[in-house]
Amino acid sequence: MILSSLIDYAVLLIPPVTPANLNPEQLQLLGLQQTVSVTTQLIDRGIIPMVGLAFLFAGFWIDSNSGASKKGLSAILQPGALALSVILGIAFLALTFVNVNSQRLLNQRTVEQISTRSQQAETQLKDRSQQVAALANDPQRLSELDQALGSGRVQGPQREQLQAIKQQLEQFKQDPKALDQRVKDAQTQIRSEREQTLKQSRQEFIKSSVRSGASSVLLGLGYLGIAWSGVSGLLGGVKPPRR
């Protein structure tokens, strides 16, 4: 269990091939995503070597209580297992900071992207509303639209679309406040979707960071606890010399 986990960890830590056509911002975002993915997988698989070490130290404890002398493989495994427990304990405590901080930075990027898309949508809405208002107040454009409908050259779905546009333009020309109300309703929908997406992003960040952070801390403390128990057992098993 211990060896297979260490091999698995080594494979996970091999950096993937990065596309060469990415700009610095995309490279940074990809690096954060890869860091979160790798650290999360390491934390999720952290219990396997702990079980192996627990069985190993249980065997050492049984040997020490049975009076068997430490020789051969057992004399090599015990200090190696102690060192590995300490290393893994410190590593998982460090992974707590790396994982949570990477998720925090990634969440900041997500929030910035959501805000940027929302601002772009509002800007496009404002530009289109100005274009519609200018078209509704342009007699020449309206006359060209009437001529296109009256000529009979436009048929089918395209004709129905032009008729719907003409009706809307006539409505906006007669009641300019109707266009303003449409714009306000669209802005309200855009902002509501933005707040909902931001709320969902925050919730996912909190859930993921708490789960990974708590698991990593518990794993780190567990490995250090196993190491401490092993050291205590090793010291307790040393008998003072007889006088």
Side-chain angles (χ1 to χ4, degrees), residues 25 108-124 190 194 198:
E25 185 176 354
Q108 287 182 354
R109 290 296 187 90
T110 303
V111 170
E112 292 174 358
Q113 291 177 354
I114 294 171
S115 300
T116 301
R117 286 197 299 266
S118 178
Q119 291 176 358
Q120 290 175 349
E122 290 196 32
T123 302
Q124 291 175 359
I190 291 172
R194 179 188 63 188
L198 289 174

Side-chain angles (χ1 to χ4, degrees), residues 18 24 32 58 61 68 96 126 129 137 142 179 211 223 231 235:
T18 303
L32 287 174
W61 179 80
T96 305
K126 184 178 179 180
S129 65
N137 295 318
L142 293 176
L179 179 59
R211 183 186 71 85
Y223 280 111
V231 171
L235 295 177

Side-chain angles (χ1 to χ4, degrees), residues 82-207:
L82 287 173
L84 181 61
S85 298
V86 174
I87 292 172
L88 289 176
I90 296 173
F92 277 103
L93 290 178
L95 279 179
T96 305
F97 171 77
V98 175
N99 182 270
V100 174
N101 187 59
S102 298
Q103 291 194 60
R104 179 184 64 82
L105 295 175
L106 191 60
N107 182 68
Q108 287 182 354
R109 290 296 187 90
T110 303
V111 170
E112 292 174 358
Q113 291 177 354
I114 294 171
S115 300
T116 301
R117 286 197 299 266
S118 178
Q119 291 176 358
Q120 290 175 349
E122 290 196 32
T123 302
Q124 291 175 359
L125 176 64
K126 184 178 179 180
D127 293 340
R128 289 178 182 177
S129 65
Q130 291 176 351
Q131 292 174 0
V132 171
L135 184 60
N137 295 318
D138 189 346
Q140 183 179 355
R141 294 289 184 88
L142 293 176
S143 177
E144 292 175 355
L145 183 59
D146 289 335
Q147 291 176 2
L149 290 172
S151 64
R153 291 176 299 179
V154 181
Q155 299 294 333
Q158 189 176 3
R159 180 180 179 83
E160 295 177 357
Q161 185 178 6
L162 289 177
Q163 287 178 340
I165 292 174
K166 179 183 176 182
Q167 292 176 357
Q168 287 185 351
L169 291 176
E170 290 177 349
Q171 179 186 2
F172 295 150
K173 184 177 181 180
Q174 295 174 0
D175 185 10
K177 293 183 179 180
L179 179 59
D180 295 337
Q181 186 61 40
R182 289 281 187 92
V183 173
K184 290 180 180 178
D185 293 340
Q187 286 178 340
T188 301
Q189 183 177 1
I190 291 172
R191 292 169 184 174
S192 176
E193 291 177 354
R194 179 188 63 188
E195 292 300 324
Q196 184 177 359
T197 307
L198 289 174
K199 182 179 179 181
Q200 183 178 359
S201 177
R202 286 193 296 265
Q203 290 177 347
E204 291 177 354
F205 163 67
I206 292 173
K207 290 180 181 178

